[in-house]
Amino acid sequence: MMMNRRTFSTALVAGAAASILAGSHKTRAQTGPKVRNVVLVHGAYADGSCWSEVVGHLDQAGFKATVVQHPLTTLEAGIEATRRAIALQDGPTVLVGHSFAGMIVTEAGMDPKVSSLVYVAARAPDAGEDYTALAKTFAAPPASSGLVWSEGYGKLSEEAFLRDFAGGIPRDKARILYAVQGPISDKLFTGKTTQAAWRSKPSWYAVSSEDRTINPDLERFMAKRMNAKTIEVKASHLSLISHPEAITQLISEAARQLS
């Protein structure tokens, strides 16, 4: 079949356009999220509402977010509540934990549905590790002295909560967070993880560089030990509230990689 110059040129342009279009689709497929489900777990002195800002950003980005409400009684109860939430997901899931919930994520993250882990200023113990003993190898954060106990349950004092836990949050908003803080059982911090999901699952970590609840150097140590992809946020312990865009971006990065 003979092809004149005009026909050849038209075919060449059409082929190039098709190639560019195919390449564009391929690029979007490579860079777009591979995981749609996100399960978020709150830490001590808080409840699920602390994730509200991040949930809004995740929703806008096309993710399906689920927030776990666990009782702050024992580590085991938190793990079970999180496992129930994971079981309801319809596919691969990014599991995210703040503060104490890092322990829950470390254990519950072994679930086959969990594709990656995100720690936000969170505990990240190894299997069987005594986190309290580990924390004592670093300078004690100021918030720890503000814990007040009554009949087996503890809460941060108003001063400690506003200054050390919710530092950098507008005072009117911080006072609402203080009002809804969840009291913790005196058994909550005694539990130990039996498995460490970060040893087999890709992990991300957001260090709060101005944290007064967990020593930032301890956060950096744990992030480095787990070989997590790490960012530093100039924030107090509640970076998920003061910097929801940065935390959402970190979760989005975790969603692009399947384990």
Side-chain angles (χ1 to χ4, degrees):
M1 176 181 173
M2 296 296 292
M3 182 180 292
N4 62 34
R5 182 177 297 178
R6 177 177 295 179
T7 304
F8 176 77
S9 298
T10 301
L12 186 62
V13 170
S19 177
I20 292 171
L21 186 59
S24 176
H25 287 317
K26 185 176 181 181
T27 299
R28 286 198 295 270
Q30 289 175 341
T31 60
K34 293 183 179 179
V35 180
R36 179 171 167 267
N37 303 311
V38 179
V39 170
L40 305 140
V41 194
H42 67 84
Y45 322 123
D47 67 4
S49 66
C50 67
W51 286 110
S52 297
E53 297 288 338
V54 171
V55 168
H57 284 80
L58 288 171
D59 183 65
Q60 291 177 8
F63 290 97
K64 187 188 80 172
T66 300
V67 178
V68 176
Q69 294 279 12
H70 64 96
L72 295 174
T73 51
T74 64
L75 173 61
E76 292 75 16
I79 292 169
E80 285 306 309
T82 302
R83 283 174 173 161
R84 288 194 296 270
I86 295 170
L88 295 174
Q89 305 307 305
D90 59 5
T93 301
V94 179
L95 182 60
V96 187
H98 172 244
S99 192
F100 169 78
M103 297 191 70
I104 295 173
V105 165
T106 296
E107 182 87 25
M110 293 300 297
D111 190 291
K113 281 188 179 179
V114 175
S115 60
S116 51
L117 314 170
V118 178
Y119 293 79
V120 180
R123 300 183 178 203
D126 205 345
E129 184 172 47
D130 184 336
Y131 175 83
T132 300
L134 172 64
K136 287 180 178 178
T137 63
F138 293 81
S144 59
S145 62
L147 190 54
V148 180
W149 295 95
S150 176
E151 299 183 0
Y153 285 84
K155 298 180 74 173
L156 289 175
S157 69
E158 183 174 358
E159 180 183 9
F161 191 98
L162 298 179
R163 181 192 62 206
D164 302 324
F165 187 73
I169 306 294
R171 193 170 181 83
D172 57 344
K173 191 170 188 176
R175 288 187 62 81
I176 293 172
L177 295 169
Y178 169 71
V180 301
Q181 75 163 301
I184 65 168
S185 164
D186 56 10
K187 299 179 178 62
L188 183 66
F189 294 156
T190 62
K192 294 181 181 179
T193 55
T194 62
Q195 303 177 87
W198 51 261
R199 287 198 170 275
S200 58
K201 305 282 178 85
S203 302
W204 281 255
Y205 199 111
V207 172
S208 285
S209 63
E210 299 181 355
D211 205 322
R212 293 170 63 88
T213 301
I214 295 179
N215 188 314
D217 286 334
L218 174 55
E219 294 178 17
R220 295 181 184 107
F221 167 81
M222 292 184 291
K224 183 177 180 181
R225 180 174 66 171
M226 70 168 71
N227 196 31
K229 296 176 183 177
T230 305
I231 63 169
E232 292 225 0
V233 184
K234 190 176 182 181
S236 70
H237 196 56
L238 296 181
S239 60
L240 67 170
I241 296 175
S242 62
H243 294 74
E245 299 91 347
I247 303 306
T248 302
Q249 178 60 34
L250 193 68
I251 295 169
S252 297
E253 290 178 12
R256 294 191 183 101
Q257 181 172 330
L258 287 169
S259 62

